[in-house]
């Protein structure tokens, strides 16, 4: 078993390999790891995935993650038997990814200045814990189960912790979540309590929480489920599978994500690299990452705003020193990430190298948007009858900006991922009570 899948370091000069049963999140030299598969999946699986939309009583067909299980088959499942799937795969009764697919949204299309047929938005907030994290968590907790780990650990700006706690509670695992004290949305905080996680409040930001949680996970033998975990990335590949399937596997011109720790950028990139290599897609969509102006590490480095050098994957030879100097500069100036979109208030994106690899493969772009732009983006999604949180509002506002700059062309096909639903109830209330906001509809008396 498991001979067709293994872990491999992403550094082209290192390339260390490990068994799939390893709980390593980095190679022994500290580089990120990929899950690799030796076999090329048959393209006839496209039909099978579609037929599973009639789930025939299997929660693993209902699940928008496990419906694609052959493409993240680190458990080496080659059966349709529900019992066999259930002995390996972890699912919230088939609910992860079940409701997420891309939709047209006419008011958002007007706002960004695209034809309604050209714009697809995929609300990942309609996952059981309310964000895209459930896609990755289903896979990470499945791996935890495979290697018999029972103590789940994560740092979070709120959505990872909600998802981890929900899965851990369902699987009877312990869950420890490190959160930046006073800096996460109340709706997210309450989920961690509700699902019985042990909170560890850190006096600092998300970056401090991640550093502390990784250190503690080593000390106390915890299993880390942040997106540094390569199995999280495998689960999140299904976000693009669902978009592409909906478009009959005809690749769009663009896929747009908000950028935080850059797990999504990395997983989207990996999914496209694999699909292209297998010949399942003929064209490579370009990825656009939208950073907040107040937490713009990737944008600063990618666009040469620091020391004038544009940071690139450079075929596996990125300028590591530039990244180190950037972080040292932030520290010496006491600069901390600052945005009202707390989900993406992240200064040290742990997946930056995998994200650079994805951007190189897809000829991607990175831009920033302001808090007000994200709030407008969030509000206009609401006017189409869909829910999303402020960080996801970066997607419409980022698309709008890229169209204005003529990077995205007016007849391009664009897929935007709305990463989470609203868990900060006062944000829309405050937004609509300020008549100066573009879409505000203040109450009357
Ligand atoms: N959107 C939402 C709603 C998020 O919760 C996050 C990250 C992101 C975007 C950024 O995604 O890290 O893949 O670039 N939230 C994490 C958390 C950090 O702890 O919930 P990314």
């Amino acid at each position: 078993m498991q001979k067709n899948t293994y872990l491999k370091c992403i550094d082209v000069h290192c390339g260390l390999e490990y068994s799939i049963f390893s709980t390593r999140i980095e190679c022994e030299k500290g580089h990120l790891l990929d899950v690799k598969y030796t076999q090329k999946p048959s393209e006839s699986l496209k039909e099978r995935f579609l037929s599973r939309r009639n789930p025939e009583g299997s929660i693993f067909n209902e699940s928008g993650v496990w419906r694609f299980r052959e493409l993240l088959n680190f458990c080496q499942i080659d059966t349709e038997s529900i019992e066999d799937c259930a002995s390996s795969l972890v699912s919230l009764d088939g609910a992860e990814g079940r409701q997420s697919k891309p939709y047209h949204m006419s008011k958002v299309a007007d706002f960004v200045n695209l034809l309604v047929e050209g714009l697809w938005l995929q609300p990942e907030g309609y996952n059981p814990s309310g964000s895209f994290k459930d896609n990755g968590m289903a896979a990470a907790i499945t791996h935890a189960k495979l290697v018999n780990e029972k103590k789940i650990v994560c740092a979070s700006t709120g959505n990872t912790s909600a998802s981890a706690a929900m899965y851990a509670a369902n699987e009877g695992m312990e869950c420890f979540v490190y959160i930046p004290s006073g800096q996460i949305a109340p709706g997210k905080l309450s989920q961690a309590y509700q699902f019985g996680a042990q909170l560890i409040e850190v006096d600092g930001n998300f970056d401090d929480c991640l550093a502390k949680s990784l250190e503690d996970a080593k000390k106390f033998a915890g299993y880390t489920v942040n997106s540094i975990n390569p199995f999280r990335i495998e689960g999140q590949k299904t976000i693009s599978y669902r978009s592409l399937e909906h478009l009959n596997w005809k690749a769009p011109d663009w896929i747009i994500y908000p950028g935080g720790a850059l797990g999504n950028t990395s997983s989207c990139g990996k999914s496209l690299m694999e699909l292209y290599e297998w010949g399942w897609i003929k064209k490579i969509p370009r990825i656009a990452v939208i950073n907040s102006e107040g937490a713009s590490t990737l944008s600063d480095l990618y666009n040469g705003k620091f020391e004038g050098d544009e940071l690139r994957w450079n075929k596996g030879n990125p300028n590591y020193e530039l990244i180190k100097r950037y972080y040292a500069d932030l520290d010496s100036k006491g600069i901390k990430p600052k945005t009202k979109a707390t989900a993406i208030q992240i200064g040290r994106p742990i997946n930056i190298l995998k994200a650079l690899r994805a951007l190189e493969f897809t000829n991607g772009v990175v831009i920033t948007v302001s808090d007000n732009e994200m709030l407008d983006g969030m509000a206009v999604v609401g006017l189409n009858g869909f829910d999303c949180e402020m960080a996801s509002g970066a997607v419409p506002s980022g698309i709008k900006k890229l169209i204005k700059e003529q990077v995205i062309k007016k007849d391009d096909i664009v897929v935007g991922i709305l990463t989470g639903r609203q868990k900060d109830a006062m944000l829309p209330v405050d937004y609509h009570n300020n008549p100066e906001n573009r879409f505000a509809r203040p109450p009357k008396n």
Side-chain angles (χ1 to χ4, degrees):
M1 200 170 91
Q2 274 85 18
K3 58 185 181 304
N4 297 326
T5 168
Y6 59 100
L7 290 166
K8 186 176 165 74
C9 160
I10 69 162
D11 187 290
V12 295
H13 305 290
C14 176
L16 284 165
E17 294 179 6
Y18 300 94
S19 147
I20 212 75
F21 294 106
S22 166
T23 53
R24 284 184 162 279
I25 44 174
E26 294 170 332
C27 82
E28 55 223 61
K29 296 192 186 150
H31 307 128
L32 296 172
L33 297 170
D34 270 334
V35 181
K36 298 291 258 183
Y37 307 98
T38 55
Q39 285 172 347
K40 174 177 159 180
S42 156
E43 209 170 333
S44 66
L45 284 168
K46 285 179 177 173
E47 303 287 316
R48 191 185 295 176
F49 297 156
L50 209 53
S51 72
R52 285 178 182 155
R53 294 182 79 166
N54 175 0
E56 296 185 337
S58 170
I59 61 162
F60 303 103
N61 292 351
E62 267 184 55
S63 164
V65 171
W66 297 123
R67 190 155 64 79
F68 298 100
R69 52 192 174 270
E70 284 84 353
L71 306 191
L72 54 152
N73 201 3
F74 53 87
C75 290
Q76 298 287 285
I77 301 276
D78 57 1
T79 164
E80 290 294 308
S81 146
I82 301 179
E83 289 73 29
D84 288 350
C85 285
S87 67
S88 300
L89 307 179
V90 172
S91 173
L92 292 171
D93 202 31
E96 57 280 321
R98 182 169 56 197
Q99 292 205 59
S100 104
K101 61 175 188 180
Y103 294 86
H104 288 311
M105 296 189 196
S106 57
K107 290 188 174 136
V108 184
D110 276 353
F111 171 66
V112 303
N113 214 359
L114 264 184
L115 294 174
V116 67
E117 308 81 56
L119 178 66
W120 295 95
L121 293 166
Q122 184 162 316
E124 288 295 322
Y126 297 176
N127 267 291
S129 80
S131 81
F132 73 92
K133 305 285 177 178
D134 296 338
N135 294 284
M137 208 55 73
I141 302 295
T142 292
H143 183 254
K145 191 171 150 185
L146 180 75
V147 294
N148 235 337
E149 293 279 347
K150 299 228 157 38
K151 203 194 278 181
I152 302 305
V153 180
C154 68
S156 187
T157 56
N159 280 327
T160 301
S161 45
S163 180
M166 196 183 229
Y167 274 92
N170 269 277
E171 289 300 308
M173 296 172 171
E174 274 190 288
C175 185
F176 297 85
V177 304
Y178 292 68
I179 52 152
S181 191
Q183 291 178 41
I184 76 174
K188 298 177 181 176
L189 185 64
S190 68
Q191 285 179 294
Y193 282 114
Q194 174 74 1
F195 302 130
Q198 176 62 59
L199 272 80
I200 295 107
E201 290 195 319
V202 176
D203 184 19
N205 59 23
F206 171 82
D207 302 311
D208 303 315
C209 291
L210 184 59
K212 173 110 183 78
S213 78
L214 292 175
E215 201 182 294
D216 284 3
K218 252 190 209 154
K219 256 194 246 162
F220 307 116
Y223 182 90
T224 293
V225 294
N226 282 100
S227 54
I228 189 175
N229 178 322
F231 297 93
R232 270 276 310 272
I233 302 293
E234 290 309 284
Q236 284 168 219
K237 290 191 308 188
T238 64
I239 298 172
S240 12
Y241 297 158
R242 291 192 296 273
S243 324
L244 286 165
E245 185 187 63
H246 202 80
L247 304 180
N248 292 320
W249 300 94
K250 194 165 172 285
D253 297 294
W254 292 92
I255 303 183
I256 322 288
Y257 277 102
L262 303 175
N264 272 327
T265 313
S266 306
S267 59
C268 180
K270 186 167 189 279
S271 74
L272 298 175
M273 283 188 255
E274 290 172 343
L275 292 172
Y276 190 74
E277 189 189 316
W278 303 332
W280 284 39
I281 53 171
K282 308 293 173 229
K283 185 177 92 177
I284 305 169
R286 298 179 71 184
I287 295 180
V289 182
I290 319 297
N291 270 164
S292 150
E293 273 175 7
S296 56
T297 298
L298 182 67
S299 170
D300 292 350
L301 287 167
Y302 195 73
N303 296 320
K305 290 186 194 148
F306 178 69
E307 294 185 1
D309 261 351
E310 293 179 348
L311 181 68
R312 290 291 182 274
W313 174 243
N314 195 16
K315 297 198 175 83
N317 298 289
N319 187 344
Y320 293 102
E321 292 307 314
L322 188 70
I323 307 176
K324 276 193 201 149
R325 286 200 301 277
Y326 179 84
Y327 291 153
D329 186 61
L330 291 185
D331 288 344
S332 73
K333 292 183 178 147
I335 300 172
K336 304 274 182 206
K338 187 97 194 94
T339 165
K340 265 198 217 169
T342 49
I344 52 172
Q345 185 169 266
I346 294 173
R348 285 170 152 77
I350 196 80
N351 283 299
I352 190 162
L353 293 172
K354 283 186 179 173
L356 290 172
R357 186 177 66 171
L359 290 166
E360 181 158 291
F361 180 72
T362 65
N363 186 23
V365 300
V366 187
I367 60 162
T368 60
V369 290
S370 68
D371 277 9
N372 279 342
E373 287 170 317
M374 277 188 272
L375 285 168
D376 285 343
M378 177 188 89
V380 74
V381 167
L383 298 182
N384 268 111
F386 287 87
D387 191 18
C388 79
E389 69 164 80
M390 184 171 166
S392 311
V395 169
S397 53
I399 296 172
K400 185 178 173 63
K401 202 168 205 175
L402 287 167
I403 288 174
K404 198 165 169 216
E405 290 171 1
Q406 297 185 342
V407 179
I408 296 182
K409 303 285 179 291
K410 280 199 150 191
D411 54 356
D412 280 351
I413 305 292
V414 180
V415 174
I417 310 299
L418 303 174
T419 43
R421 75 165 180 245
Q422 186 59 262
K423 300 183 186 178
D424 203 345
M426 288 315 287
L427 269 183
V429 175
D430 292 343
Y431 179 88
H432 283 280
N433 273 279
N434 179 352
E436 287 186 1
N437 285 325
R438 175 165 179 167
F439 298 106
R441 195 156 189 198
K444 289 190 173 151
N445 43 27

